[in-house]
Amino acid sequence: MNTLTSGLASAQRQQLESRAYAKATLRLLPFLFLCYVAAYLDRVNVGFAKLQMLSDLQFSETVYGLGAGIFFIGYFFFEVPSNLLMHRVGARRWIARIMLTWAVISAASLFVKTPTQFYIVRFLLGVAEAGFFPGIVLYLTYWFPAARRSRMNALFMIGIPVAGVLGGPLSGWILAAFDGRDGWASWQWLFFIEALPSFVLGVITLFYLPNSIRAATWLSNEERAVLEENIAQEQAGKGHASVASVFSNGRVWLMALIYFCCMMGLYGISFYLPTLIKASGVKSALDVGLLTAIPYACAVFSMLFVAKSADRRGERRWHFAIASLAAALGLYLSTVFGHNVPLAMLALSVGAAGMLATMPVFWAWPSAILAGGSAAAAIGMINSIGNLAGFVSPTIIGWMKDVTHSTNAGMYCVAAAMVLGAALSLLQPKEIVNG
């Protein structure tokens, strides 16, 4: 036990620990949350650009689906190397690098003229962003033990639905207000304006984000000591396998498959929510943008509630499975009520709330098994394989829409994937993932 904390009475230690975690949460999570809002907005704003971009550039639904999804091919190949580099060089410089490069490439999307250019920009955006999400998941394991991790993950990951709550109305307003200004189409302004927050936050990251507990000058010596001690005790009980062995670990591959199913739902919603709402009978781009905020607002509450419940009860498998089944039901019902705006919005809200509630619970699993460089590799591998669904999901939906002139068949595939993910999650050993 650390000499700075070994002489403290239990009550004093708990008070010191509570104060230290409160400081760390307040200092880190709001900033990381803002970064993820910016990141996710840049990743999926193509779903709003699509409403006008396709007609301007004469792109088919198949071209859009392939371009939206090819982001994840670049993401896949660079994910694990990126996470290993972050573990080696530190979060501050690496996260800043990621944010600055993706901001520049996202803004460059406004110059796209041909399908080939669209594919190239989306691929490069995936390369640039690779490592951000799993890097932050790994970074949080440096600070918070397993008993707090679902809640911390949730505070970071609500950046996804908040990006939808803020990004929907913002994107709809840009499309309505900027069309033709200074010779640019509204979708070009959309890419440019929404890249600016990422660039600014990337610069701030260089000065704001500490690499580790030891580098946190805003904690006292005693506070740093108790946080480091908690992490050290937890890491001591985990496997420190070689990076290479991670790729032959059956549990890691099972997690990757479960996460793939989860991401089928996320990107089915993210890339096609504006299209689904428009198909239900909403015509105005601004109204579509405002209505997309509703499912994401529901997801903010579901993520926080499910994560808190999972940590409090020490149970994660059934929390994940039930949320995943709710997502599948919501996506299915969105096709049944596809031409009834209120019922379609209710179904999409259930789908988004269930889907996004799975994420903070899921990401408490990998760090419960491995530590150090092996954890970095496992988190990167799981995220890269899982995010291939970001290629598969929009590609399938886009192709099926061209063939059937409806998104229904694509939504059925996505809902089926969520059901499969729920079933596979129950194969996880409860004594490990619930710990």
Side-chain angles (χ1 to χ4, degrees):
M1 183 173 289
N2 193 295
T3 56
L4 285 172
T5 61
S6 58
L8 293 176
S10 178
Q12 289 177 300
R13 179 185 168 83
Q14 288 180 0
Q15 187 177 27
L16 176 65
E17 186 177 280
S18 296
R19 186 170 68 245
Y21 281 123
K23 280 187 179 181
T25 301
L26 187 60
R27 175 80 179 195
L28 299 176
L29 271 301
F31 181 73
L32 296 175
F33 156 78
L34 285 176
C35 291
Y36 199 30
V37 169
Y40 202 77
L41 195 59
D42 284 344
R43 182 188 298 189
V44 302
N45 59 9
V46 69
F48 280 95
K50 168 185 182 287
L51 297 177
Q52 296 181 1
M53 184 182 183
L54 265 62
S55 59
D56 284 358
L57 301 181
Q58 299 300 300
F59 288 177
S60 69
E61 290 283 347
T62 301
V63 168
Y64 166 74
L66 180 58
I70 208 168
F71 167 98
F72 297 96
I73 302 299
Y75 198 86
F76 172 79
F77 284 112
F78 288 87
E79 187 85 345
V80 174
S82 179
N83 230 30
L84 291 173
L85 280 168
M86 195 204 85
H87 185 64
R88 177 170 295 184
V89 307
R92 180 176 57 83
R93 285 185 294 168
W94 197 247
I95 296 300
R97 192 283 305 165
I98 290 172
M99 296 187 69
L100 291 171
T101 51
W102 96 49
V104 171
I105 294 171
S106 182
S109 301
L110 69 91
F111 298 113
V112 164
K113 300 291 185 185
T114 68
T116 300
Q117 292 172 350
F118 183 45
Y119 301 151
I120 290 172
V121 168
R122 292 293 296 176
F123 177 83
L124 292 177
L125 189 63
V127 172
E129 195 185 322
F132 176 78
F133 176 84
I136 299 301
V137 170
L138 178 65
Y139 181 69
L140 292 175
T141 70
Y142 300 163
W143 292 81
F144 301 98
R148 297 175 180 265
R149 207 162 288 149
S150 290
R151 283 168 290 174
M152 295 305 107
N153 286 343
L155 289 173
F156 164 59
M157 294 174 193
I158 58 171
I160 296 176
V162 170
V165 171
L166 301 178
L170 174 63
S171 298
W173 174 73
I174 292 171
L175 291 177
F178 281 79
D179 194 27
R181 184 170 296 187
D182 295 327
W184 283 1
S186 57
W187 60 268
Q188 292 175 301
W189 279 108
L190 179 70
F191 285 126
F192 177 75
I193 292 172
E194 293 188 352
L196 295 177
S198 296
F199 190 87
V200 172
L201 287 167
V203 173
I204 295 173
T205 298
L206 285 169
F207 303 95
Y208 186 85
L209 199 66
N211 282 328
S212 64
I213 295 171
R214 183 60 55 89
T217 57
W218 34 269
L219 291 172
S220 68
N221 290 337
E222 293 80 7
E223 289 166 345
R224 283 196 293 270
V226 75
L227 296 191
E228 287 180 329
E229 181 184 314
N230 287 348
I231 294 299
Q233 288 177 351
E234 183 174 85
Q235 298 294 313
K238 297 178 186 175
H240 288 264
S242 68
V243 170
S245 69
V246 167
F247 297 94
S248 60
N249 187 316
R251 285 180 184 159
V252 174
W253 280 101
L254 176 60
M255 288 185 193
L257 180 56
I258 293 169
Y259 196 56
F260 179 90
C261 294
C262 184
M263 292 297 95
M264 285 288 289
L266 176 62
Y267 293 113
I269 291 173
S270 298
F271 289 124
Y272 279 91
L273 183 58
T275 300
L276 293 170
I277 292 174
K278 187 175 182 179
S280 71
V282 180
K283 302 303 181 186
S284 164
L286 180 57
D287 289 342
V288 170
L290 292 171
L291 286 173
T292 59
I294 295 174
Y296 288 119
C298 294
V300 171
F301 293 102
S302 70
M303 290 176 79
L304 294 173
F305 174 79
V306 172
K308 183 177 180 180
S309 175
D311 277 351
R312 186 176 67 247
R313 298 173 187 272
E315 198 293 317
R316 295 193 174 103
R317 296 189 310 162
W318 282 103
H319 281 77
F320 179 95
I322 292 171
S324 190
L325 291 173
L329 178 62
L331 291 175
Y332 170 73
L333 291 177
S334 74
T335 66
V336 174
F337 303 116
H339 298 291
N340 184 313
V341 175
L343 291 178
M345 290 305 305
L346 177 62
L348 289 169
S349 296
V350 171
M355 193 277 115
L356 283 157
T358 64
M359 292 186 63
V361 176
F362 175 88
W363 281 110
W365 293 352
S367 55
I369 297 174
L370 297 167
S374 56
I379 291 170
M381 173 185 160
I382 291 166
N383 196 59
S384 62
I385 292 173
N387 271 284
L388 284 176
F391 174 78
V392 175
S393 184
T395 301
I396 287 176
I397 297 172
W399 175 73
M400 286 186 170
K401 186 174 182 185
D402 274 343
V403 172
T404 66
H405 306 292
S406 170
T407 57
N408 287 0
M411 288 297 110
Y412 298 151
C413 290
V414 171
M418 297 300 295
V419 172
L420 176 61
L424 292 175
S425 70
L426 298 177
L427 298 178
Q428 293 280 42
K430 65 181 181 179
E431 66 275 6
I432 293 177
V433 299
N434 289 342

